[in-house]
Amino acid sequence: MNLFAVLDQAATRFGDRGAVYLGNEQCHTFAGLRDRALRLASSISANRDTGARIAIASENRPEIIELMFAVWAAGCAVVPINFKLHPLEMAQILEDCRAAVVFASPKIAGGLAAVTDVAVENIESPAYAARLHTQPAVPAIVDPGALAWLFYTSGTTGKSKGAMLSHRNLMAMTVAHLADFDSPDENSSLVHGAPMSHGSGLYIAPYILRGARQVIPASSGFDPEEFLDLCGHHPRTSCFLAPTMVARLLATGRPRPQNLTTIVYGGGPMYLDTLKKAMATFGPTLVQLYGQGEAPMTITGLRKCDHLSGDGLADDAILGSVGYPRSGVEVAVLDADGNPAAVGEIGEIACRGDVVMSGYWNNAAATSSTLVGGWLHTGDMGSFDARGYLTLRDRSKDVVISGGSNIYPREVEEVLLEHAGVEEACVVGAPDEDWGEMVVAFIVGTAAEADLDAHLLERIARFKRPKRYIYVDELPKNSYGKVLKRELRESVR
Ligand code: AMP
């Protein structure tokens, strides 16, 4: 199945209804969106091989949606690029995937054209407008295993790699989302707070399929006040947000907009303390996903109801976990020999199912070390409990090994965050002559070292306590809101 069918079916059923909104204003109906996508498709497929990579480099804008469906209708693969990357980093991706063309927003086009040989087309140019006057294409027939989306990982642990996602992978993700997490209909909306090159963009398909509207903030970015206004204005709103974005919504002090029904959070650790505050403000709208570019949005999760128990919240073990396997996905925790770990034993998380990528673009070595015996090795460490909930520890590269003991930074961070004088915390390992590595905590907040020491000693083992605290104004984050641990680690090497 070509993913374009998702829009085609919605346009047949909901033709006159609003499909894409910029702020409060309707841009296109479903029929209008299909028409634009098919016209763009015929201009894209002219003189182009099936399977060509077509890149998009833009802050959140309505054009991203028409371009994605156009690329699929043309039988090509879309390469959404994180708009916050440096032009040289974007150029590397374009070169790596040998993109045929990159559609870029006016903010990006000029700088990018100066550093790449790939054709850059400004989406506000006359050339783009002319494409919309070509004859609509007949959608290409593609193999479900064909490349649909080349997903460049956010590179928090190294150089960005292109995870090859097929039409089948994205349909598996779409179906699992609708089965497990949300049931939008033609009276629902998806509000794009997070970058559409990543999680928010992956969710376009399930919401288009059900005839829900796509809402893009007029600022093209994430302004918590604007975002909450939009969630209140549009009907039955859903969104995907990184945990740090949920914390920014909470910082506004505003109550839940009545129409806001689903906040899917994930893509990075949600600390228990923040989750409890979010539950108090947003009520049972929260859904957790654990996924990665290689198994988009879909490894394990917690539904809305899993956050609750009786009249109150679920217990901390559940709230602190990443839930249980999603529909259509098998999940295992493997010990050092690659065998299933015992309950409670920490090992590498692996998964398999239709959602798992077919490999990394042009990188056989990374593919063969990541896809082993049909399993995707996630690089994340975790353990299952007796009830089947998976708790994520840290990425294997983030674990601190001090005096031969494994220290999971997440555990120390959780406890630090319970202190009222700590706004943000990030724990990394630094080289130490005696211990191999020592624990270093970066702190945003006002709590004194001695208070933090006392606070930790009451709650966790002495050897896990940071040997050094470094106070900073803010933690370095990538544009998806993920803390750049690598950068912090390098700063203490
Ligand atoms: P990316 O491929 O850039 O989406 O990054 C995926 C990584 O983010 C995963 O391998 C995890 O390390 C982390 N991650 C994703 N979801 C969660 C979650 N719910 N809780 C904690 N970490 C997560």
Side-chain angles (χ1 to χ4, degrees):
M1 178 183 189
N2 184 332
L3 271 173
F4 178 78
V6 163
L7 172 60
D8 203 25
Q9 290 170 0
T12 303
R13 292 186 58 209
F14 309 111
D16 293 342
R17 297 185 72 94
V20 182
Y21 288 72
L22 183 62
N24 294 343
E25 304 300 321
Q26 181 180 312
C27 306
H28 312 299
T29 61
F30 277 93
L33 178 64
R34 172 171 61 182
D35 185 65
R36 288 174 73 90
L38 287 175
R39 288 175 192 277
L40 286 168
S42 65
S43 76
I44 287 171
S45 53
N47 310 319
R48 237 177 281 288
D49 296 337
T50 305
R53 275 78 54 211
I54 311 292
I56 306 174
S58 169
E59 61 283 9
N60 285 359
R61 288 182 51 133
E63 290 86 350
I64 295 177
I65 300 172
E66 63 196 29
L67 277 167
M68 280 182 180
F69 285 102
V71 169
W72 294 327
C76 298
V78 71
V79 189
I81 299 180
N82 174 359
F83 71 94
K84 286 198 180 160
L85 291 182
H86 188 281
L88 287 172
E89 293 171 311
M90 294 187 182
Q92 266 171 16
I93 290 177
L94 295 173
E95 199 179 305
D96 187 59
C97 71
R98 282 181 243 113
V101 57
V102 52
F103 291 97
S105 66
K107 280 188 193 159
I108 291 171
L112 185 53
V115 295
T116 181
D117 294 335
V118 172
V120 178
E121 184 166 321
N122 185 329
I123 55 178
E124 280 188 13
S125 65
Y128 188 83
R131 289 176 183 271
L132 292 160
H133 292 290
T134 46
Q135 283 302 309
V138 174
I141 295 169
V142 297
D143 185 277
L147 181 65
W149 183 315
L150 196 51
F151 185 105
Y152 277 85
T153 56
S154 57
T156 44
T157 52
K159 193 172 161 281
S160 185
K161 299 187 285 280
M164 295 192 286
L165 303 178
S166 66
H167 292 262
R168 179 186 285 121
N169 294 149
L170 296 176
M171 264 329 278
M173 177 209 73
T174 297
V175 171
H177 182 70
L178 297 172
D180 301 339
F181 283 170
D182 203 8
S183 29
D185 60 22
E186 65 273 31
N187 296 309
S188 308
S189 322
L190 175 69
V191 185
H192 292 283
M196 291 162 77
S197 54
H198 203 79
S200 213
L202 284 163
Y203 275 172
I204 291 171
Y207 290 83
I208 290 273
L209 179 65
R210 290 286 178 86
R213 47 174 88 168
Q214 308 279 321
V215 180
I216 293 141
S219 68
S220 299
F222 180 68
D223 168 5
E225 300 280 352
E226 176 192 33
F227 186 80
L228 288 169
D229 288 345
L230 289 173
C231 290
H233 176 84
H234 291 278
R236 282 194 67 210
T237 44
S238 299
C239 58
F240 163 72
L241 298 176
T244 46
M245 293 172 150
V246 177
R248 286 181 63 196
L249 293 185
L250 290 173
T252 64
R254 284 175 54 175
R256 173 175 81 92
Q258 236 182 1
N259 302 349
L260 175 56
T261 54
T262 306
I263 302 174
V264 183
Y265 64 89
M270 170 64 107
Y271 295 103
L272 204 50
D273 190 61
T274 313
L275 179 57
K276 287 182 178 173
K277 287 180 184 142
M279 289 293 293
T281 301
F282 298 118
T285 58
L286 290 140
V287 172
Q288 181 178 192
L289 77 81
Y290 159 52
Q292 56 176 203
E294 294 81 349
M297 313 301 266
T298 324
I299 299 176
T300 62
L302 283 174
R303 298 166 301 167
K304 291 175 191 171
C305 56
D306 297 320
H307 289 73
L308 302 169
S309 171
D311 291 340
L313 292 183
D315 59 57
D316 286 1
I318 293 180
L319 294 179
S321 79
V322 292
Y324 46 88
R326 299 285 305 282
S327 297
V329 184
E330 264 182 282
V331 181
V333 170
L334 304 174
D335 66 16
D337 301 324
N339 299 316
V343 165
E345 190 187 343
I346 297 172
E348 186 180 13
I349 299 165
C351 71
R352 64 179 174 187
D354 270 356
V355 81
V356 171
M357 67 163 185
S358 52
Y360 293 112
W361 176 261
N362 213 9
N363 194 340
T367 301
S368 61
S369 61
T370 306
L371 292 177
V372 184
W375 289 87
L376 167 70
H377 288 242
T378 64
D380 291 318
M381 305 298 285
S383 58
F384 273 117
D385 70 11
R387 295 181 292 183
Y389 290 93
L390 180 70
T391 297
L392 221 62
R393 304 296 160 169
D394 280 285
R395 292 192 70 81
S396 42
K397 292 190 182 91
D398 291 335
V399 175
V400 182
I401 304 177
S402 187
S405 302
N406 282 6
I407 300 168
Y408 294 94
R410 168 93 184 254
E411 186 189 356
V412 186
E413 289 160 3
E414 292 271 11
V415 179
L416 286 168
L417 283 164
E418 284 171 19
H419 193 287
V422 176
E423 281 166 44
E424 288 186 277
C426 179
V427 166
V428 299
D432 182 89
E433 274 189 18
D434 297 331
W435 298 96
E437 278 190 300
M438 67 166 168
V439 176
V440 176
F442 288 83
I443 304 286
V444 181
T446 52
E449 281 189 24
D451 289 346
L452 290 178
D453 264 350
H455 172 81
L456 289 168
L457 282 173
E458 277 172 24
R459 292 165 175 85
I460 52 171
R462 181 171 282 271
F463 74 92
K464 298 178 183 169
R465 204 168 36 121
K467 299 259 185 320
R468 198 174 152 202
Y469 294 95
I470 300 176
Y471 290 84
V472 290
D473 292 336
E474 56 183 341
L475 297 175
K477 297 192 185 97
N478 69 12
S479 58
Y480 302 123
K482 290 190 197 214
V483 176
L484 291 167
K485 283 210 163 174
R486 191 162 40 105
E487 228 171 73
L488 292 174
R489 220 177 0 240
E490 276 162 16
S491 74
V492 290
R493 294 261 132 187

